[in-house]
Amino acid sequence: MEHVLSPATLAELRRPRPYPAVSVLTPTHRRDPHKTQDQVRLRNAVTEAKRQLEADPVISRERRAEVAHHLDQALSEVDLTHAEDGLAIFAAPGEHQVWSLARSVPERVVLSDTFLTRNLVSAQTAERPFWVLSLSADRATLWNGGADRVVEQRADGFPLTRRVENFDPERQQRVGDLQSAFREERTRQFLREADTAMSTVLREHPRPLYVTGPPAALALMDEVGSATKGAVHVPHGGLAHGTPESVWQAIRPVIETEARRNTEAVTRALETARGRREFAAGVDELWQSARDGRVRLLAVEENYRVTVRDAGDHLILAESSDLEGREDIVDEIVEQCLETGADVRFVPDGTLGEADGIAGVLRY
């Protein structure tokens, strides 16, 4: 299952497909009792997609069979053991993909000439993904970070390793000679290579970067690196050879501090916007402002969801059972704001007070 949504991957997902491009979305759960129902719900959603394929007279028998086959293949690749909060299956002639999302999605099936991507975009933004680069004299390890975990990224040249003769960092630390490992020219060259590899990753997948390592490693990387210049330093040795859990425990306090600063900055920006009459709140007002490209900063509470119905020139609240209801209007607003260059921030529930879960700062 896919997790990392890069700009290039998103562009590829959004390109037009031969009809039908099928999008199957369903909520999933990380734990019981609801987790046990996920398999049934997912199979029912795929069955509904096949029913819609059968009912569409525009689709030829051969193409219907091909897309149904890809739906079956995608279903067989789903691993609900490690389910998050949502799942998206995309299937079209000649291809299929499965995406696991760290944000709940509405249950729906869509047949179109493009895949439905707004839920992926919203989930990726809400998760606030980041990179952690862990350094030692003989290894550079890259970690892919999300809302509550990190996993090792074994791609793009990582992990980088080099052979160091008679290198014993624990002994060097005991005798006070750990610094010498970071004075060697070979170590400088190794960290330059790590910086170059990190530059490639950031170009393809731009996101905040944290660099861990002993102070000597961080100082040397600052001296020889360029891609890591703006990174947040976390002085903590041993993580280049560490476990995901040890890296997460080391980085977690820093992430939480950054999140608090982010929330405080958003709150201040919204208060300032009120005084300048650049403030907007509620899905109806922000839906229109987002379509007009007027939103400069969008703030959304993490678990805010609302179902609405399009009444033409505005939105009205609707029940989740309403056949014309739009359950993912928040994700739609998020995607539209990102498309027009807005800064989108997810904040803890309750942060926005009377703004009712969603608020923004307008450009004009």
Side-chain angles (χ1 to χ4, degrees):
M1 295 194 293
E2 303 288 342
H3 294 266
V4 181
L5 185 66
S6 69
T9 301
L10 180 59
E12 167 61 20
L13 284 173
R14 282 176 167 168
R15 69 171 175 81
R17 260 78 177 173
Y19 185 81
V22 181
S23 302
V24 178
L25 276 67
T26 181
T28 53
H29 302 84
R30 298 173 187 251
R31 56 188 63 87
D32 289 331
H34 301 294
K35 185 178 179 67
T36 55
Q37 304 169 11
D38 288 345
Q39 187 67 51
V40 175
R41 182 182 292 107
L42 179 58
R43 287 189 179 278
N44 288 343
V46 171
T47 298
E48 171 60 20
K50 291 180 179 179
R51 187 196 67 77
Q52 291 191 26
L53 288 172
E54 289 286 343
D56 193 332
V58 174
I59 306 171
S60 68
R61 179 182 300 177
E62 292 77 12
R63 180 158 291 183
R64 185 182 303 126
E66 181 182 4
V67 175
H69 173 67
H70 279 289
L71 284 170
D72 287 336
Q73 283 189 306
L75 186 60
S76 70
E77 295 170 10
V78 173
D79 180 10
L80 289 175
T81 305
H82 301 100
E84 296 179 280
D85 301 305
L87 191 75
I89 289 178
F90 299 136
E95 63 176 318
H96 66 272
Q97 296 186 35
V98 179
W99 286 82
S100 179
L101 311 178
R103 180 169 165 84
S104 185
V105 298
E107 191 168 301
R108 64 187 308 186
V109 173
V110 177
L111 274 62
S112 184
D113 58 357
T114 58
F115 293 137
L116 186 65
T117 60
R118 60 174 170 259
N119 305 99
L120 270 69
V121 172
S122 183
Q124 183 87 348
T125 306
E127 193 174 15
R128 295 186 288 270
F130 57 88
W131 296 115
V132 180
L133 177 62
S134 295
L135 303 173
S136 70
D138 65 334
R139 185 180 176 90
T141 305
L142 183 62
W143 309 90
N144 181 3
D148 57 3
R149 71 196 183 286
V150 298
V151 295
E152 186 176 353
Q153 180 82 357
R154 289 185 166 269
D156 304 302
F158 288 101
L160 273 70
T161 60
R162 75 179 183 112
R163 183 181 178 85
V164 182
E165 297 294 336
N166 301 319
F167 179 65
D168 183 350
E170 291 186 4
R171 178 185 176 281
Q172 290 183 337
Q173 196 166 26
R174 286 197 303 272
V175 300
D177 196 34
L178 185 60
Q179 297 279 347
S180 65
F182 296 99
R183 297 193 189 106
E184 297 179 355
E185 180 56 36
R186 287 176 297 176
T187 304
R188 295 171 66 90
Q189 181 58 36
F190 176 68
L191 292 189
R192 286 194 193 99
E193 292 172 3
D195 182 78
T196 299
M198 194 68 239
S199 176
T200 300
V201 172
L202 290 172
R203 189 164 53 249
E204 296 295 324
H205 307 280
R207 58 174 73 170
L209 172 65
Y210 300 85
V211 181
T212 76
L218 298 179
L220 181 55
M221 181 57 102
D222 248 3
E223 182 182 334
V224 303
S226 58
T228 55
K229 284 291 187 187
V232 177
H233 284 189
V234 182
H236 193 302
L239 298 181
H241 296 270
T243 64
E245 181 60 22
S246 65
V247 175
W248 172 244
Q249 291 305 323
I251 205 75
R252 181 177 180 176
V254 183
I255 298 295
E256 290 176 346
T257 298
E258 291 290 314
R260 285 194 295 271
R261 289 175 180 166
N262 169 69
T263 300
E264 291 167 1
V266 169
T267 302
R268 288 195 299 270
L270 292 173
E271 285 301 318
T272 300
R274 284 181 186 272
R276 295 177 177 174
R277 297 188 178 182
E278 298 172 349
F279 178 82
V283 289
D284 188 27
E285 187 175 359
L286 282 163
W287 175 65
Q288 185 61 54
S289 297
R291 292 196 301 174
D292 293 341
R294 296 180 59 206
V295 181
R296 178 162 58 85
L297 168 67
L298 180 72
V300 185
E301 291 185 354
E302 290 168 346
N303 294 299
Y304 178 62
R305 290 286 184 181
V306 65
T307 301
V308 299
R309 185 153 44 87
D310 190 345
D313 58 345
H314 67 284
L315 303 176
I316 58 175
L317 295 179
E319 298 294 329
S320 58
S321 57
D322 191 329
L323 295 178
E324 296 182 1
R326 296 163 67 172
E327 296 179 68
D328 55 354
I329 188 65
V330 174
D331 288 359
E332 186 175 333
I333 292 171
V334 167
E335 184 184 46
Q336 185 62 46
C337 286
L338 289 169
E339 283 290 295
T340 54
D343 183 10
V344 177
R345 308 284 187 92
F346 282 82
V347 297
D349 293 347
T351 299
L352 302 180
E354 296 179 358
D356 194 25
I358 188 168
V361 178
L362 302 181
R363 292 190 171 101
Y364 56 89

